[in-house]
């Protein structure tokens, strides 16, 4: 049998755990906003800037590019890699955004109790956590792929400049 003092201690401990979880939900909401605003800007600007630079190079050096038969193929390769980087770059922050959305839903789907451990996972919260993990790793893969595409496009561009 639980004494009144033990009950009060358990109740206060449960309230602290519930407050910690709610604070975690607030942090995830802030992260959602940060991913939506900032994460979409930087990589897409790099890839878009690369496309603009390549097109500027093309227009300034068209007569020299035209005289080297493989140069136009190389230029198309540069544009292909940079456009691919741009597309993959747009997918990365979207996946990061969805990961935080799923994690927030997982936290909101947990069951709050007044018995230890005070917060319990539910089937729904486990599913949202799993979906968040998939989205998070997808974001990592997209981000890595974007960097690789920009790198390959940049190296192809340097080869093109050396030819012309």
């Amino acid at each position: 049998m639980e004494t009144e003092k033990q009950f009060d201690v358990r109740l206060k401990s449960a309230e602290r755990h519930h407050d910690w979880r709610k604070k975690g939900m607030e942090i995830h909401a802030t992260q959602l906003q940060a991913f939506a605003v900032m994460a979409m800007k930087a990589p897409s600007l790099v890839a878009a800037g690369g496309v603009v630079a390549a097109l500027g190079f093309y227009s300034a050096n068209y007569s020299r590019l035209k005289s080297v038969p493989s140069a136009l193929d190389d230029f198309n390769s540069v544009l292909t890699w940079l456009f691919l980087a741009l597309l993959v770059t747009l997918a990365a922050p979207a996946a990061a955004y969805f990961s935080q959305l799923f994690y927030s839903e997982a936290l909101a789907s947990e069951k709050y109790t007044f018995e230890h451990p005070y917060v319990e996972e539910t089937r729904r919260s486990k599913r949202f956590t799993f979906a968040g993990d998939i989205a998070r790793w997808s974001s990592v893969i997209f981000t890595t792929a974007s960097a690789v595409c920009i790198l390959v496009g940049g190296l192809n561009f340097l080869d093109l400049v050396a030819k012309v």
Side-chain angles (χ1 to χ4, degrees):
M1 195 72 164
E2 186 175 48
T3 66
E4 189 173 329
K5 184 176 181 176
Q6 289 172 328
F7 173 78
D8 288 341
V9 168
R10 183 172 53 81
L11 192 62
K12 287 181 183 183
S13 182
E15 289 171 347
R16 269 195 314 273
H17 278 79
H18 296 171
D19 289 341
W20 289 338
R21 280 298 204 213
K22 289 176 184 173
K23 183 67 176 171
M25 290 171 60
E26 291 172 11
I27 290 170
H28 278 288
T30 303
Q31 288 176 341
L32 280 168
Q33 293 170 357
F35 277 123
V37 174
M38 292 173 43
M40 289 186 179
K41 287 181 183 178
S44 58
L45 288 174
V46 170
V51 170
V52 169
L55 291 174
F57 174 81
Y58 175 78
S59 64
N61 295 293
Y62 176 73
S63 60
R64 292 192 331 209
L65 287 170
K66 188 170 73 169
S67 65
V68 180
S70 65
L72 289 176
D73 289 336
D74 292 343
F75 180 75
N76 287 336
S77 175
V78 169
L79 282 182
T80 300
W81 282 106
L82 292 177
F83 277 122
L84 184 59
L86 191 58
L87 292 175
V88 176
T89 299
L90 293 175
Y97 170 78
F98 283 118
S99 74
Q100 294 306 306
L101 188 65
F102 289 138
Y103 289 142
S104 293
E105 285 298 320
L107 287 173
S109 299
E110 291 176 333
K111 180 180 175 186
Y112 292 78
T113 65
F114 289 94
E115 300 292 330
H116 191 271
Y118 309 116
V119 179
E120 297 174 4
E121 286 185 310
T122 63
R123 281 183 51 196
R124 180 180 163 97
S125 70
K126 287 178 184 178
R127 281 186 271 151
F128 276 119
T129 299
F130 181 71
D133 290 344
I134 290 172
R136 178 173 48 109
W137 282 108
S138 297
S139 178
V140 169
I141 291 167
F142 288 142
T143 301
T144 304
S146 175
V148 168
C149 290
I150 291 171
L151 179 67
V152 171
L155 291 174
N156 286 350
F157 183 73
L158 291 176
D159 285 343
L160 176 64
V161 170
K163 283 183 182 180
V164 177

